[in-house]
Amino acid sequence: MAVTSVVEKRLGALPVAAEFLRRLDVAGIIDEVCPGGASALVTHGQAIEALVANRLTSPAPLVRIEDWARCWAVEEVFGIEPGLLNDDRLARALDAIAPHLEHIAGTVGARAIGEFGIDVAQMHWDMTSMFVHGAFPVEGQDEDFPVIGYGHPKDRRFDLKQVQAGLAVSADGGIPLHARVFGGGAAEVSQVVGAMKDLRAMAGERDFLTVADSKLVSYSNICALLAAGVHFIAPAPAAQVKDEVYAALDLAQATVVDWTPDREAGKPTERRETYRVLEDTHTLTGPRKSDPPITVRRILVHSTANAAGQQAARDTRLARPPKT
């Protein structure tokens, strides 16, 4: 009497991941840039696709990927025997693609744009610090890659070494379009300006405008952006605009903006928030006396709702009895 053994494996979202990876041609793109590999049974591209599928289903460290592949239907969906996904083979694939990450990410992103009709007229870019624990001596690191080291993180953890990364994604769909890794000690200006120049080059003949927060407005950043010919708009830090500037404004000279916020659309015209604008200039001085001042355009905006809120707050403070 024949005995039939039944092996149960998890399927989960593997077919969905495999279909998207196929449409994006991730394995094909990687294998074109990084041909070959120590094992002829699985290419670098196939190994990376398996890693991506793992991250999307049940993330595990490299030494556990083989076990994951045995419990999940990886062989049935991707055609890869679990034993071929040992940590040594996966590490070789990661080493192979490391020098080509920017090209691979850009090519996959371009494929996604064409395959799914992504609108790339607007991009969002931000950067972050990733802290590491351990010695990481400089002399033991590869100079061809960003060096892990101390820097100036925004959360002021100066006691930890870091590596910094910036990522630009499309506003439509959040598709990564540009990624760059910086050493732990890289200055902010090199990060911002380098990324903006790369994104402007990607824009080609189209007009490119950088919209940022107030952290962009520093002497070194603005100087570098102007030198690179990158157009930008960002709110001026409150500390850089003196109170007497606002006190001297003449609202009668301001231009009323023909725009109504969505939250005000249902209100009668006379009760809607109104915005008025004035244009003047803003001057930044460098850290050294020899640094030439930089003058840029500045738009001052007056909001009736904001003004009313500030007036109400002042009235509340004045109505409070004095402390004894």
Side-chain angles (χ1 to χ4, degrees):
M1 178 178 177
V3 178
T4 303
S5 62
V6 178
V7 179
E8 294 186 359
K9 296 183 179 181
R10 294 190 63 180
L11 186 63
L14 282 180
V16 178
E19 176 62 13
F20 275 99
L21 289 167
R22 182 194 63 79
R23 293 181 66 178
L24 294 174
D25 194 26
V26 172
I29 291 170
I30 292 175
D31 290 336
E32 183 176 355
V33 179
C34 310
S39 171
L41 299 177
V42 58
T43 67
H44 292 318
Q46 290 175 307
I48 296 302
E49 281 197 342
L51 275 177
V52 172
N54 172 259
R55 301 307 300 174
L56 294 174
T57 55
S58 180
L62 288 186
V63 294
R64 301 298 184 196
I65 298 296
E66 183 177 343
D67 295 336
W68 162 79
R70 295 187 188 281
C71 297
W72 288 66
V74 174
E75 185 172 3
E76 290 75 10
V77 175
F78 288 91
I80 304 174
E81 295 181 11
L84 298 176
L85 296 176
N86 58 76
D87 57 332
D88 286 339
R89 180 64 191 89
L90 296 173
R92 287 195 295 272
L94 292 172
D95 285 340
I97 69 172
H100 311 285
L101 281 179
E102 187 171 340
H103 173 77
I104 292 171
T107 306
V108 172
R111 175 85 178 193
I113 292 168
E115 182 71 16
F116 300 102
I118 303 297
D119 180 8
V120 294
Q122 187 179 44
M123 295 177 282
H124 295 177
W125 180 84
D126 199 5
M127 59 176 303
T128 188
S129 298
M130 293 173 286
F131 298 112
V132 299
H133 294 265
F136 293 98
V138 175
E139 57 272 14
Q141 300 187 49
D142 191 335
E143 296 180 354
D144 294 333
F145 296 93
V147 175
I148 296 173
Y150 295 109
H152 301 280
K154 294 179 175 62
D155 59 0
R156 307 185 70 80
R157 285 301 306 269
F158 303 121
D159 57 315
L160 296 176
K161 291 185 177 181
Q162 65 173 0
V163 64
Q164 304 174 84
L167 179 67
V169 301
S170 63
D172 177 18
I175 302 299
L177 301 175
H178 177 272
R180 176 177 285 196
V181 181
F182 304 88
E188 179 185 10
V189 64
S190 64
Q191 303 165 28
V192 174
V193 176
M196 294 307 104
K197 290 175 68 175
D198 289 345
L199 292 175
R200 189 186 64 172
M202 291 174 61
E205 297 300 322
R206 302 177 66 173
D207 291 336
F208 180 76
L209 173 65
T210 299
V211 181
D213 59 21
S214 59
K215 295 177 182 177
L216 180 76
V217 185
S218 68
Y219 182 86
S220 56
N221 282 349
I222 300 303
C223 185
L225 289 171
L226 291 175
V230 176
H231 300 292
F232 63 90
I233 182 171
Q240 293 188 18
V241 183
K242 297 180 179 180
D243 291 340
E244 48 264 36
V245 173
Y246 296 112
L249 295 179
D250 183 3
L251 284 181
Q253 302 297 320
T255 301
V256 178
V257 179
D258 185 16
W259 179 74
T260 301
D262 292 339
R263 64 178 182 275
E264 301 280 320
K267 296 181 179 180
T269 303
E270 65 276 7
R271 295 181 54 193
R272 292 177 182 174
E273 185 175 1
T274 303
Y275 293 88
R276 292 179 174 83
V277 296
L278 287 166
E279 180 176 341
D280 68 352
T281 58
H282 183 71
T283 301
L284 295 94
T285 56
R288 298 179 298 270
K289 291 184 179 180
S290 59
D291 292 330
I294 298 176
T295 300
V296 295
R297 294 174 59 200
R298 180 173 63 187
I299 305 296
L300 300 169
V301 182
H302 178 271
S303 162
T304 53
N306 188 46
Q310 292 179 346
Q311 180 63 54
R314 286 193 296 270
D315 292 343
T316 299
R317 289 195 297 269
L318 292 173
R320 293 174 183 167
K323 294 182 179 181
T324 57

